[in-house]
Amino acid sequence: MTTVLPAGSGTLHYSVKIYKGQHFRRNSWVSVTAFKRCTQKDLSCAMSSSICRSHGVSKSLKTQRYSFSHFPFYESWKPSRTAVNSCLEDGSTKFFDFVVIGSGVAGLRYALEVAKHGTVAVITKAEPHESNTNYAQGGVSAVLCPSDSVESHMRDTIVAGAYLCDEETVRVVCTEGPDRIRELIAMGASFDHGEDGNLHLAREGGHSHHRIVHAADMTGREIERALLEAVVNDPNISMFQHHFAIDLLTSQGGSETVCHGVDTLNTESLEVVRFISKVTLLASGGAGHIYPTTTNPPVATGDGIAMAHRAEAVISNMEFVQFHPTALADEGLPIKPEKSRENAFLVTEAVRGDGGILYNLAKERFMPLYDEREELAPRDVVARSIDDQLKKWNEKYVLLNISHKPKEQILAHFPNIAAECLKYGLDITSQPIPVVPAAHYMCGGVRAGLQGETNVSGLYVAGEVACTGLHGANRLASNSLLEALVFARRAVQPSIDHMSQSGFYVGPSSRWARPVMPSSLPSSAMDDILNVTEQMRKDLQSIMWEYVGIVRSTRRLESAEKKIHELETQWEKFLFQQGWEPTMVALEACEMRNLFCCAKLVVSSALARHESRGLHYTIDFPHVEESMRLPTIILPCSTVSTTWSSRQLHKQPV
Amino acid sequence: MAINLSRQFASLVGLSAPKLALASAGSESLARSVVGSAVRRLGSSIEQPRGNPSGELRGEAPKEIRPQQEEEEPREEGGGEEDDEEEDGQVNKETGEIGGPRGPEPTRYGDWERNGRCYDF
């Protein structure tokens, strides 16, 4: 992708700091074989990216930052504490020093720190508390007990990650975690204590010590509450809720991409608002909704990953999607819920621990076929077994039966499940529970260095949207909140440094085409578009579940690739037939294009990994291959692809 | 460890109160399901004299927890940590935790569960 900058640049007014690459390894990830998959000759390539294996896990994402002589449109601008009154507004363009996309723990933690140095806009697509963080009800893991050690936490993390973790990242996170927890407490988050006054630490699966800090059973919500309160009270932070981020605003400086801000859609007033910033933090969370059953709230449609990919950021490890084996399957309930459940109800492992048995719909007990530990096999084995059964028999769910246990015991231990099922006419003390695996967490995402930096200058990432190398091929329990906290904090200093030497982009406003509302379309056309898009989303989710589920195969993945491409082409054709213009925006359409983008990233990553490791299991390469113990990297490359989802809105062909 | 019914209901009320307070701030579905089950328990126990079958089911459950739990085998992860009644501010006898989750240890099978719903793993 080339962008033409006008010649005859202006003079510089300030000094330039050349960044040294952080943690340089061999830059051999640049020696890439570009895969261009062309299907039919009249269709452009499905994937506008190239995929490679990274040799010698490179943490450096950029070589040198070029001097600003390439950027003729900058002015120098010194930040000051009085910045609170000087965030400029120009119609529907707003100027901030820092823009944060996402209001989960990563976004808010970062906002609170950088707000000491400049103005901050936090952009969030729904209500501020509506994020994956809020649903993280377990705890945060950190070494807080004298008998525990950073090495132990590191070891547990790396083992869980199937040895694909980046060791330096793991060390940094495990070392800095305890301080981040202490800061949260200082900010007002209240965690459970013991009688001795120390934090009460639980021990979750995979951890060899008690190290999970929690607030009764709603840790995420408590952290979110404490951070939101602090954010609301901070005069330098402006919260823009119900603002959906559409695309990052980027330009080319030499061989480097620079991020200048983001276009958003105010979904309440239905207006486009452009944010110009010196630094952008992407903290937009995961993409659970590429699958039909997910624990993620509806906002998790992979917006950040898609925007970053379109902005030429490097994406990594998208094949590692964490599923929970037993979520309540609405299809199996006697009374179907009126509207589909927003986020899946996970049925705890404890049901199996207490004697629950898994059956397929033919009432066969299948776990003994897969593992001698039967129902108490590790979670991923159970998930694969269930998935295999579902595919084999072409069914929608399996059954988890605990009704052979005493009624009082069931109701005492699992009142939540009992109540939920009873609402829909199922009595778990006498009937089996319908369950199906649910997508829960994306281990992959935008590739981040140790400071949360990406290969796009001025763009930082933190939280689930990032792939920092901490989780490797599988996330250890309670490490995700920890990662968000640590990386949000680590991105602060580089952001401040970057901001101090940047000026606002003050070039012509026509530099990036503005997204437009589809007001020229008749309402009947919009209704059709919304209906078709809703159906397309379900179709995409079906394809993902059917072909890119827990147990994969090359044949199925290739089918998925083809089907997704066909579906996307069909959808776009329909849109444009209705009169949709490439720069038009609507929430559902933009989410759909992001879902398509993320789905394609998952499929191509899965196809690129010729081994089974951690969460990625493929029957064509069922074993771990030491030579493949490398992250999967997706680079953008010059593309002939013209799908709407793979280009930024302001770069659409006219 | 005989705990009378009135204290159980008092503790159920104590349980629902903070959850109600948090419901306004955060995710509704979680709060709703937790509050809903606590409130339903109270509601059906009150309905019990009317002979409501589902109410009876739930109304009986708290009473019968006591003897049953004594008989249960210790579990793998948190064997013996499976503690019972504790109000907010009350101490979990096994772990010394103050104001923590009531009922069996949430991580006893490796995942983080509350009343059967798993929140993290």
Side-chain angles (χ1 to χ4, degrees):
Chain A
M1 288 194 178
T2 54
T3 312
V4 177
L5 285 177
S9 44
T11 52
L12 289 174
H13 300 288
Y14 53 94
S15 65
V16 166
K17 182 173 164 189
I18 305 291
Y19 267 29
K20 298 266 182 278
Q22 300 287 333
H23 305 277
F24 247 99
R25 310 266 179 111
R26 288 175 298 140
N27 265 350
S28 52
W29 60 264
V30 182
S31 55
V32 165
T33 317
F35 290 83
K36 288 209 184 120
R37 306 222 171 105
C38 289
T39 52
Q40 291 123 43
K41 60 169 166 43
D42 54 332
L43 291 171
S44 42
C45 292
M47 303 295 160
S48 63
S49 50
S50 60
I51 299 155
C52 72
R53 304 246 58 121
S54 167
H55 298 279
V57 186
S58 168
K59 291 307 291 187
S60 82
L61 297 159
K62 48 184 186 258
T63 50
Q64 277 191 329
R65 230 175 93 192
Y66 290 85
S67 72
F68 277 92
S69 56
H70 290 274
F71 306 139
F73 300 116
Y74 280 89
E75 286 180 4
S76 68
W77 197 90
K78 291 276 175 280
S80 72
R81 207 58 184 92
T82 58
V84 62
N85 293 320
S86 52
C87 74
L88 309 167
E89 195 170 320
D90 161 27
S92 45
T93 301
K94 298 186 197 293
F95 294 77
F96 284 86
D97 296 317
F98 304 93
V99 159
V100 175
I101 302 173
S103 59
V105 64
L108 298 183
R109 183 70 189 83
Y110 174 90
L112 286 168
E113 284 301 322
V114 296
K116 300 169 191 164
H117 299 268
T119 54
V120 185
V122 175
I123 290 167
T124 186
K125 129 184 196 184
E127 301 284 316
H129 58 264
E130 194 61 25
S131 62
N132 273 1
T133 296
N134 211 42
Y135 292 81
Q137 304 298 325
V140 195
S141 56
V143 175
L144 289 162
C145 176
S147 63
D148 196 1
S149 69
V150 167
E151 284 71 31
S152 168
H153 191 184
M154 283 179 63
R155 192 168 44 244
D156 292 341
T157 301
I158 292 171
V159 165
Y163 301 94
L164 199 65
C165 313
D166 180 77
E167 194 176 320
E168 266 177 274
T169 305
V170 177
R171 182 186 311 282
V172 156
V173 172
C174 295
T175 306
E176 298 185 2
D179 281 340
R180 301 288 86 82
I181 307 285
R182 291 184 194 109
E183 279 163 12
L184 274 184
I185 295 170
M187 271 185 222
S190 59
F191 298 114
D192 286 358
H193 282 77
E195 284 175 300
D196 54 359
N198 290 327
L199 285 170
H200 179 263
L201 303 171
R203 181 176 155 185
E204 229 176 323
H207 289 273
S208 49
H209 274 86
H210 284 253
R211 63 172 74 102
I212 316 290
V213 172
H214 56 280
D217 61 344
M218 44 192 70
T219 309
R221 202 194 300 175
E222 172 57 19
I223 295 176
E224 182 77 14
R225 179 204 64 76
L227 291 174
L228 262 181
E229 201 175 305
V231 160
V232 157
N233 291 329
D234 191 316
N236 252 2
I237 303 179
S238 310
M239 176 76 74
F240 294 90
Q241 56 190 41
H242 299 290
H243 279 62
F244 173 85
I246 301 164
D247 262 315
L248 296 169
L249 301 170
T250 54
S251 65
Q252 284 302 116
S255 69
E256 192 183 52
T257 310
V258 184
C259 179
H260 304 284
V262 60
D263 275 338
T264 68
L265 168 63
N266 181 332
T267 54
E268 284 183 323
S269 67
L270 295 181
E271 287 172 328
V272 169
V273 182
R274 173 163 285 180
F275 288 84
I276 302 287
S277 64
K278 300 174 187 173
V279 175
T280 306
L281 179 88
L282 199 50
S284 49
H289 283 268
I290 57 175
Y291 288 98
T293 312
T294 174
T295 56
N296 293 179
V299 294
T301 49
D303 306 324
I305 300 170
M307 287 198 295
H309 179 60
R310 289 192 289 264
E312 313 217 318
V314 176
I315 308 292
S316 183
N317 285 352
M318 286 294 284
E319 66 270 40
F320 301 111
V321 181
Q322 194 176 45
F323 285 83
H324 188 275
T326 52
L328 190 60
D330 287 341
E331 297 95 342
L333 295 169
I335 306 169
K336 303 283 181 291
E338 272 164 20
K339 55 180 203 115
S340 64
R341 192 182 292 280
E342 285 188 345
N343 50 327
F345 184 117
L346 295 184
V347 174
T348 176
E349 194 135 353
V351 172
R352 282 175 279 127
D354 270 14
I357 311 280
L358 284 163
Y359 296 95
N360 60 28
L361 291 187
K363 303 287 195 291
E364 293 164 339
R365 184 178 177 182
F366 56 85
M367 278 313 300
L369 302 172
Y370 295 95
D371 196 290
E372 61 199 6
R373 294 164 287 192
E374 299 173 342
E375 272 74 12
L376 292 181
R379 199 176 300 116
D380 52 339
V381 173
V382 175
R384 285 200 279 276
S385 310
I386 295 179
D387 191 64
D388 193 54
Q389 286 286 306
L390 293 175
K391 302 294 186 283
K392 195 160 150 185
W393 303 113
N394 198 22
E395 274 156 13
K396 296 261 187 290
Y397 56 89
V398 294
L399 301 168
L400 177 58
N401 191 23
I402 188 99
S403 62
H404 49 281
K405 289 286 167 181
K407 186 160 95 170
E408 296 75 20
Q409 183 187 326
I410 299 173
L411 295 175
H413 286 165
F414 312 121
N416 229 345
I417 307 179
E420 187 65 20
C421 288
L422 209 56
K423 269 201 300 203
Y424 301 104
L426 189 88
D427 179 1
I428 67 171
T429 62
S430 61
Q431 296 164 276
I433 310 167
V435 292
V436 69
H440 182 68
Y441 185 85
M442 312 241 31
C443 297
V446 184
R447 191 154 166 79
L450 283 178
Q451 316 273 64
E453 77 273 22
T454 66
N455 59 305
V456 175
S457 174
L459 181 69
Y460 296 81
V461 286
E464 192 176 350
V465 70
C467 180
T468 61
L470 176 72
H471 304 307
N474 194 351
R475 178 188 67 91
L476 178 64
S478 296
N479 264 6
S480 55
L481 284 175
L482 178 67
E483 180 195 35
L485 285 169
V486 169
F487 272 85
R489 188 66 188 76
R490 284 181 74 86
V492 167
Q493 194 55 52
S495 298
I496 293 167
D497 294 342
H498 184 105
M499 188 213 62
S500 326
Q501 349 149 331
S502 307
F504 279 129
Y505 179 83
V506 290
S509 55
S510 57
R511 176 80 180 72
W512 300 286
R514 272 192 104 87
V516 294
M517 298 305 300
S519 38
S520 59
L521 293 183
S523 64
S524 58
M526 265 319 286
D527 286 341
D528 288 343
I529 286 173
L530 291 179
N531 288 333
V532 166
T533 302
E534 196 182 327
Q535 186 54 47
M536 288 286 171
R537 183 191 283 220
K538 294 191 178 112
D539 293 343
L540 175 67
Q541 290 169 341
S542 291
I543 296 170
M544 288 303 288
W545 177 237
E546 194 59 39
Y547 297 94
V548 197
I550 303 171
V551 176
R552 299 165 177 171
S553 73
T554 308
R555 193 177 54 86
R556 288 190 106 106
L557 291 171
E558 284 170 348
S559 288
E561 198 171 41
K562 184 158 163 291
K563 285 178 187 292
I564 293 172
H565 177 86
E566 283 165 4
L567 194 72
E568 187 183 11
T569 308
Q570 197 187 330
W571 178 64
E572 291 189 4
K573 188 169 158 197
F574 179 80
L575 275 190
F576 296 121
Q577 264 173 359
Q578 300 294 106
W580 191 267
E581 304 280 326
T583 51
M584 280 182 181
V585 288
L587 176 65
E588 296 79 0
C590 291
E591 283 184 335
M592 191 71 239
R593 75 195 267 261
N594 292 338
L595 289 169
F596 270 123
C597 183
C598 288
K600 290 187 294 190
L601 290 170
V602 172
V603 175
S604 40
S605 302
L607 275 166
R609 184 165 292 274
H610 294 178
E611 62 155 0
S612 288
R613 185 181 292 271
L615 295 167
H616 174 72
Y617 181 84
T618 171
I619 58 181
D620 293 294
F621 306 100
H623 305 293
V624 165
E625 285 290 326
E626 179 56 29
S627 61
M628 308 253 174
R629 192 163 63 85
L630 300 158
T632 309
I633 308 275
I634 298 187
L635 301 176
C637 67
S638 311
T639 174
V640 296
S641 166
T642 55
T643 65
W644 190 53
S645 85
S646 46
R647 280 183 191 237
Q648 292 167 305
L649 229 67
H650 46 80
K651 286 204 176 108
Q652 297 289 335
V654 278
Chain B
M1 286 230 287
I3 296 167
N4 62 37
L5 201 58
S6 60
R7 183 176 159 205
Q8 281 185 340
F9 285 123
S11 63
L12 280 172
V13 171
L15 173 65
S16 21
K19 298 251 180 358
L20 280 165
L22 282 160
S24 57
S27 128
E28 274 122 25
S29 59
L30 167 65
R32 223 184 287 130
S33 67
V34 174
V35 171
S37 58
V39 168
R40 248 197 298 282
R41 251 190 242 142
L42 290 175
S44 16
S45 310
I46 294 163
E47 282 169 33
Q48 208 177 340
R50 293 188 219 147
N52 181 336
S54 62
E56 219 165 336
L57 186 84
R58 274 193 214 80
E60 271 167 30
K63 270 185 261 179
E64 283 172 52
I65 288 175
R66 309 267 94 286
Q68 286 295 335
Q69 275 189 345
E70 241 83 75
E71 289 154 20
E72 272 148 20
E73 301 144 69
R75 259 169 265 290
E76 177 201 344
E77 187 80 63
E81 274 188 299
E82 175 207 322
D83 209 338
D84 37 295
E85 302 307 320
E86 89 209 51
E87 302 164 2
D88 291 288
Q90 284 291 305
V91 181
N92 180 315
K93 292 177 186 62
E94 289 295 333
T95 63
E97 186 180 358
I98 298 172
R102 299 166 63 247
E105 167 59 36
T107 58
R108 66 193 187 284
Y109 276 104
D111 63 4
W112 193 286
E113 71 87 29
R114 287 293 296 141
N115 296 327
R117 185 168 192 173
C118 162
Y119 292 109
D120 188 35
F121 55 98

